Every structure is written in C-alpha cells, then in structure tokens.
C-alpha cells in the first residue's frame, strides 16, 4: 500500500492475547472465569492521514491490506477484515470524532491457537484509535464495543472474557471475573517453580462456523426450561446441580450434559482461586484435568489431538495439570509444568504427537502481563 513508503507512526500500541487458567465457556453463561493477558501480542502502528474518512490497514503478517471508508462500512468476504470493520462500525455508533488513518498490524500471536488473537485485534485497534483521536472511550467501552464487533461483524456470539482480559489485565495476576456483575478481583499468579506452558496442536478451528454458537444456544435452551418453573433463573449461573437433576428425565440429554458441565465448571473456578491463594498447585492441576474431562465428554468441544496431549501429560514427572483451552476443536493445551521438567516434557510430547498425527507441535511459555497499552 502506498502509505507504507513514508509511514512514520504517531502511536504504537501492544495488544496481548490471553490465557484462561480455568473457567471455559462459563462467561456467556454469566459465570466465573480466571483469565489473564500474556506476553504474546499484536503490535499496531497508527498515523492520522489527514482525510475525513479513508482508512488504510495493512497486515505485515499476511502481507496484504485493504482500504475502508468510514462513511460506508460494510462486511467483507475476507474474514480477518471483519474484525477491523466491526470495530470501526461500533466506534461510529459511539463517537463522531473518528477520521481517516493509516495502520500497520504485526502479530506475534499464533492464529487459531486459542489465545484469542481476535480479541487482541479488536481491542488493540479500538484502544489505539481512542488515543489517536481522543474519542473519550473508557476501557470498559473498548471491551464492550470489541465484543459487539465480534458478535455483529464476525458472527461469533462470544462472552466477555477475551476482550476483558486483553484490556484489563495486570502484570503478574489473573482476574477472577464475575461475568454477571463484572466485578473483578486480581489474584497474584505466584506459581514458581512451576510455569504455564502452551502446546499448540496446530489444528485450526473457526468458531464462526457454528459449534460455539450451538453450545451457547444449547445452554440457553436449558435455562429456558428451568426458568419456566423458576423465574429468578436468568442463566446457568443461578442453577445448582441439585436443581438441574430434577430436569434430567424431561430435558434433552445433550442439553443436560452441556448444563452439567457449566455448573460444575463455575464451582471449579472458585476452587481454583482458593488453591492459588493457598499455593496448593497440586489441587489446581487436578481441577484443570477435571475441566478437560468435562469439556471433552460433557461439552464435547475437544478433539483427538487435544485429548491425546492431555492424556500424554498425565503422570509425567513435573506436570501437575493440563487441559484444552479456548473455544475448542483445536488450538492449545495449557499445562502447569515444573521449570526443571519443561525441556524434557516438550521434547517427549512433541515426539509422541508427531508420531501419532504427523503434525509438528509448537510449544511456548505464557507469562501474565498487563493489558493493551501504549508502546510510544
């Protein structure tokens, strides 16, 4: 694109991906989650271009770009462009100060790995434009408009976890987020000498193809059935296993399984927070394994590659816990591994995985860091 020849950024923003220690698929059920931003980011470089409405966006990773007109924002046939266009659309609904700009995007986040490159893309763009044009948006505005962009332009009816963690995280902490009240408690992530290791299956998934939205719909079906007799129930957050059991004979078996998982997972998040506070990492690891079993057997969003890696980790020296992370059907497992066992575990897992699936495994550590921020 022509602007690249004389591009001198006025603003550079780092927008991180995220991990979720525990609490998967609970956010859109108004439950609890335990995420944090990580030290793998997307870097945005911005300059005003003096025009009223011309926006030029270039991806260094894809080596491609596109132009958008602020007066005529429409969905694109190219999927990654919709994350950008959705944010521009949502900003336009909230502010009339946005003008023409140029932007380059450089990602160090593995796409489709479950570390939410999509939220980093949305939040980083919104954060940077807010600073560049003094739009007056709060951090929570940025979280909410980024989620709305994913709902309305990408088609994934995600919860609030990814965008919240990308913007609101604090270095060295995980966030206990109540997705109903949005009350957040920052919990120190003091797990030394253990570390968080991500093993990327390199099997890609696209949540917009429907399975994510199907799970959400199944949970809502369960809630509607319970709500018919218990009007105070607004989400699975308000249901316990004892209440759910009274519907076992009348509820669709698949819907019952989905609801069971979510209710159990909410409790596991609270148990995990206690384990972290008590420095009981063995219990934390056991809870992670329980979560994976629930995601695989009750929520049915795992896949053979993820199941293999989690099973492989069990009983390995220096490994306390593992589970699939993210929307499902690919992406990463998150593992709690002793620093002295890290190298041997990665080597053994990589060898076994390649032998089983003929796919190379990618491994990387993830350190909790602050949310989206200005670099210069």
């Amino acid at each position: 694109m022509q602007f690249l020849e004389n591009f001198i950024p006025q603003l550079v923003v780092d927008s991180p991906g995220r991990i979720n220690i525990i609490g998967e698929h609970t956010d859109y059920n108004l439950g609890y989650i335990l995420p944090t931003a990580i030290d793998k980011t997307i870097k945005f470089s911005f300059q005003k271009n003096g025009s009223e409405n011309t926006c030029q966006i270039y991806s260094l990773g894809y080596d491609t770009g596109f132009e958008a007109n602020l007066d005529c924002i429409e969905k694109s046939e190219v999927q990654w462009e919709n994350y950008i266009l959705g944010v521009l659309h949502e900003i336009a609904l909230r502010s009339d100060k946005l003008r023409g700009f140029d932007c380059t995007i450089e990602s160090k986040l593995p796409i489709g790995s479950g570390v939410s490159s999509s939220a980093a893309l949305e939040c980083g763009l919104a954060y940077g434009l807010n600073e560049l044009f003094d739009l007056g948006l709060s951090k929570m505005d940025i979280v909410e408009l980024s989620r709305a962009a994913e709902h309305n332009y990408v088609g994934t009816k995600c919860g609030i976890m990814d965008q919240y963690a990308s913007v609101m995280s604090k270095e060295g902490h995980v966030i206990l987020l109540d997705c109903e009240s949005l009350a957040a408690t920052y919990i120190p992530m003091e797990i030394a000498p253990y570390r968080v290791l991500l093993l990327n299956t390199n099997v890609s998934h696209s949540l917009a193809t429907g399975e994510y939205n199907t799970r959400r719909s199944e949970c809502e079906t369960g809630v509607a059935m319970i709500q018919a007799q218990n009007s105070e129930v607004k989400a699975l957050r308000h249901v316990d296993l004892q209440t759910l059991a009274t519907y076992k004979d009348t509820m669709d078996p698949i819907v019952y399984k989905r609801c069971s998982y979510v209710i159990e997972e909410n409790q596991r998040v609270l148990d995990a927070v206690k384990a972290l506070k008590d420095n009981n990492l063995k219990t934390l690891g056991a809870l992670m394994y329980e979560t994976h079993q629930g995601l695989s057997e009750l929520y049915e969003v795992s896949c053979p590659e993820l199941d293999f890696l989690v099973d492989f980790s069990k009983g390995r020296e220096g490994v306390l816990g593992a589970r699939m992370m993210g929307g499902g059907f690919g992406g990463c497992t998150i593992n709690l591994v002793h620093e002295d066992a890290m190298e041997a575990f990665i080597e053994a897992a990589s060898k076994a995985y390649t032998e089983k699936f003929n796919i190379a495994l990618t491994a990387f550590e993830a350190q909790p860091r602050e949310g989206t921020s200005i670099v210069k």
Side-chain angles (χ1 to χ4, degrees):
M1 298 185 82
Q2 197 169 1
F3 82 86
L4 293 170
E5 295 173 12
N6 304 303
F7 186 52
I8 303 173
Q10 293 171 260
L11 177 72
V12 178
V13 166
D14 248 358
S15 189
R18 65 98 189 95
I19 56 173
N20 186 29
I21 302 302
I22 202 162
E24 214 67 78
H25 290 276
T26 49
D27 57 347
Y28 55 82
N29 288 294
L30 303 186
Y32 299 103
I33 53 175
L34 197 63
T36 180
I38 59 170
D39 55 341
K40 304 286 184 292
T41 67
I42 299 177
K43 184 168 80 172
F44 296 79
S45 300
F46 297 90
Q47 70 175 12
K48 296 179 181 179
N49 63 23
S51 74
E52 277 296 301
N53 51 30
T54 301
C55 308
Q56 300 182 96
I57 298 98
Y58 188 80
S59 165
L60 297 172
Y62 286 137
D63 192 22
T64 187
F66 69 100
E67 191 172 293
N69 186 320
L70 291 175
D71 295 334
C72 183
I73 299 170
E74 295 178 344
K75 290 183 186 179
S76 169
E77 295 296 313
V78 182
Q79 184 72 339
W80 79 269
E81 294 179 4
N82 285 321
Y83 294 101
I84 305 295
L85 295 166
V87 169
L88 297 181
H89 172 76
E90 294 298 330
I91 288 176
L93 296 176
R94 293 162 172 81
S95 172
D96 60 2
K97 293 183 179 179
L98 189 59
R99 296 293 182 269
F101 66 91
D102 304 325
C103 173
T104 64
I105 301 168
E106 183 179 8
S107 178
K108 303 297 184 186
L109 281 173
I111 305 297
S113 63
V115 294
S116 201
S117 54
S118 58
L121 193 57
E122 296 150 358
C123 295
L125 181 71
Y127 195 98
L129 294 176
N130 185 49
E131 291 292 327
L132 192 65
F133 291 99
D134 194 20
L135 302 180
L137 301 171
S138 69
K139 283 188 173 184
M140 200 61 215
D141 290 334
I142 291 168
V143 169
E144 290 174 345
L145 78 84
S146 296
R147 178 178 60 168
E150 190 143 346
H151 282 201
N152 299 328
Y153 264 64
V154 181
T156 302
K157 301 297 183 184
C158 60
I160 204 164
M161 172 172 67
D162 297 347
Q163 291 82 8
Y164 194 98
S166 191
V167 174
M168 299 293 201
S169 290
K170 235 167 91 173
E171 188 165 347
H173 292 72
V174 290
I175 309 168
L176 172 61
L177 183 66
D178 180 331
C179 294
E180 183 174 48
S181 68
L182 295 184
T185 307
Y186 290 87
I187 313 292
M189 183 70 173
E190 295 170 349
I191 60 171
Y194 287 85
R195 295 182 183 176
V196 173
L197 173 72
L198 302 185
L199 296 179
N200 190 354
T201 61
N202 290 309
V203 176
S204 62
H205 61 281
S206 175
L207 300 184
T209 56
E211 287 294 342
Y212 186 105
N213 293 343
T214 297
R215 293 303 179 280
R216 182 167 185 154
S217 176
E218 287 163 346
C219 291
E220 289 169 354
T221 298
V223 168
M225 191 171 182
I226 297 167
Q227 195 177 46
Q229 296 181 20
N230 300 271
S231 59
E232 73 280 2
V233 170
K234 307 296 185 211
L236 286 175
R237 158 65 176 276
H238 307 124
V239 183
D240 58 28
L241 288 173
Q242 189 176 357
T243 300
L244 181 66
T246 63
Y247 294 86
K248 187 167 188 178
D249 295 336
T250 53
M251 188 176 283
D252 179 286
I254 290 176
V255 171
Y256 188 85
K257 284 203 299 185
R258 307 297 190 248
C259 295
S260 297
Y261 162 75
V262 172
I263 294 167
E264 290 172 359
E265 182 73 347
N266 269 325
Q267 186 57 50
R268 276 192 289 266
V269 176
L270 300 178
D271 293 343
V273 168
K274 184 177 188 307
L276 263 178
K277 288 178 175 178
D278 294 345
N279 198 31
N280 189 345
L281 299 184
K282 193 172 178 182
T283 294
L284 179 62
L287 290 165
M288 291 168 69
Y289 280 127
E290 286 178 20
T291 289
H292 185 80
Q293 186 176 357
L295 287 166
S296 181
E297 297 175 8
L298 296 177
Y299 222 63
E300 297 181 281
V301 291
S302 188
C303 62
E305 294 87 354
L306 289 166
D307 289 343
F308 176 84
L309 287 175
V310 172
D311 288 342
F312 182 83
S313 75
K314 291 176 180 174
R316 302 284 309 185
E317 186 176 350
V319 182
L320 292 183
R323 68 174 190 86
M324 62 149 281
M325 187 184 71
F329 309 105
C332 288
T333 61
I334 178 170
N335 304 263
L336 201 54
V337 185
H338 195 286
E339 59 188 14
D340 294 341
M342 190 79 75
E343 194 175 326
F345 176 59
I346 293 171
E347 187 178 331
S350 298
K351 183 172 183 288
Y353 184 75
T354 302
E355 286 175 359
K356 175 74 173 175
F357 297 104
N358 197 29
I359 301 171
L361 194 66
T362 313
F364 57 100
E365 279 189 58
Q367 303 277 356
R369 61 150 276 174
E370 67 177 321
T372 305
S373 57
I374 298 169
V375 178
K376 67 173 185 177

